[in-house]
Amino acid sequence: MRWKLLRRRLSVSAPRMIVRSHLPWPLRWAVAAVVFGFSAAIALWAFELGKDIAGLDRGHKNELAQLRAEAARLREQSEQARSLANRADSLLKAERAAQERLAEEVRRLEAEKATLLADLGFFERLLPGAGDGLQLRGLTAEAKSAGRLRYQVLVMQPGKGAQPFVGRYDLVLSGTLAGQAWSQGLPDGPQALRLQQYARLEGEVEFPPAAVIKTVQARVIDAQGATRAQQTVRP
């Protein structure tokens, strides 16, 4: 029986056999990837070679170079414009500061002018009048705020050879307060006064804010308590 089987396998009528080599599947995938990569590299090389032969890539390179040059030129123009804008802004700030200083100087000069005009008007009213003896000239009284009055007055002794005067001066405010008659002198009482020919008196007096001032009277009192000169104005 064994002999018959052996003869059948060795004879022409024996069944066909196929011999195949067995490779692991990771190795098969690696070989396929290498073949695919090699084919892709050949295809890319052929594509680039075709573009060079046809001259298609040269125009793109020239256009890219022009675009880069244009971008550099625009960047330079932008920097110049930014620098010019910064310089203009600095000049504008300097001019604005100069205008503010000039306006401040104009305001200061206008204030000085107003002061000089006020002094001029004050001294014009102080021109010596007729007669000799102690005189009060140019009394002004102005309410600066509620409960505060500013005054100024000039005490004069016209003529030559006048003797020095030693005495006191007082300022009396008169009016109404809460519907009643009201008057007030200087808070600290009459103030000392000494002059040869003239003395300018000025200051501020506080009074009740609810008071209504109708008259302001300045007077000069000698050492014996007699009133030597006085002047009354309405504020």
Side-chain angles (χ1 to χ4, degrees):
M1 188 65 181
R2 292 182 178 178
W3 174 250
K4 291 180 179 181
L5 292 175
L6 181 62
R7 287 182 57 190
R8 184 182 299 176
R9 291 180 178 179
L10 294 177
S11 63
V12 178
S13 62
R16 296 181 179 180
M17 298 179 63
I18 300 176
V19 180
R20 296 180 179 178
S21 62
H22 179 70
L23 293 176
W25 65 267
L27 184 60
R28 294 180 183 180
W29 281 105
V31 173
V34 170
V35 174
F36 179 77
F38 183 71
S39 302
I42 294 177
L44 180 61
W45 173 78
F47 176 74
E48 294 293 334
L49 181 62
K51 286 200 303 180
D52 291 338
I53 295 175
L56 296 177
D57 196 38
R58 297 173 186 174
H60 292 293
K61 291 182 179 180
N62 294 334
E63 184 177 357
L64 180 60
Q66 293 177 359
L67 290 176
R68 288 177 177 174
E70 183 68 16
R73 186 180 64 83
L74 292 176
R75 190 179 300 110
E76 183 179 359
Q77 290 181 354
S78 177
E79 292 295 333
Q80 293 177 356
R82 186 179 296 108
S83 176
L84 182 61
N86 293 335
R87 193 179 303 112
D89 184 62
S90 300
L91 292 176
L92 183 60
K93 290 181 179 179
E95 183 179 358
R96 187 180 297 112
Q99 289 180 353
E100 291 178 356
R101 289 195 299 268
L102 181 60
E104 182 65 24
E105 184 68 15
V106 169
R107 287 191 293 269
R108 185 183 65 81
L109 292 176
E110 288 179 350
E112 291 182 358
K113 178 183 176 181
T115 302
L116 292 175
L117 289 176
D119 291 343
L120 178 61
F122 176 76
F123 284 108
E124 283 179 349
R125 295 192 300 270
L126 301 179
L127 292 176
D132 296 330
L134 201 65
Q135 298 179 5
L136 286 175
R137 304 294 303 275
L139 173 61
T140 60
E142 181 182 2
K144 290 296 184 180
S145 61
R148 187 175 294 274
L149 181 80
R150 180 171 181 80
Y151 69 92
Q152 61 179 350
V153 63
L154 188 70
V155 185
M156 302 179 63
Q157 287 194 111
K160 296 181 180 180
Q163 297 297 320
F165 174 82
V166 179
R168 297 172 299 167
Y169 77 92
D170 196 4
L171 194 75
V172 180
L173 313 180
S174 301
T176 59
L177 177 61
Q180 304 293 326
W182 166 84
S183 65
Q184 172 189 311
L186 291 174
D188 298 330
Q191 302 296 305
L193 174 63
R194 182 183 181 89
L195 71 145
Q196 178 71 39
Q197 289 186 332
Y198 69 90
R200 183 174 180 177
L201 310 175
E202 59 182 346
E204 292 186 354
V205 180
E206 294 185 355
F207 61 92
V212 178
I213 301 176
K214 295 183 178 181
T215 61
V216 177
Q217 182 185 71
R219 60 183 180 179
V220 177
I221 307 167
D222 61 16
Q224 288 73 34
T227 300
R228 296 286 301 277
Q230 64 181 14
Q231 185 179 6
T232 304
V233 296
R234 294 181 179 274

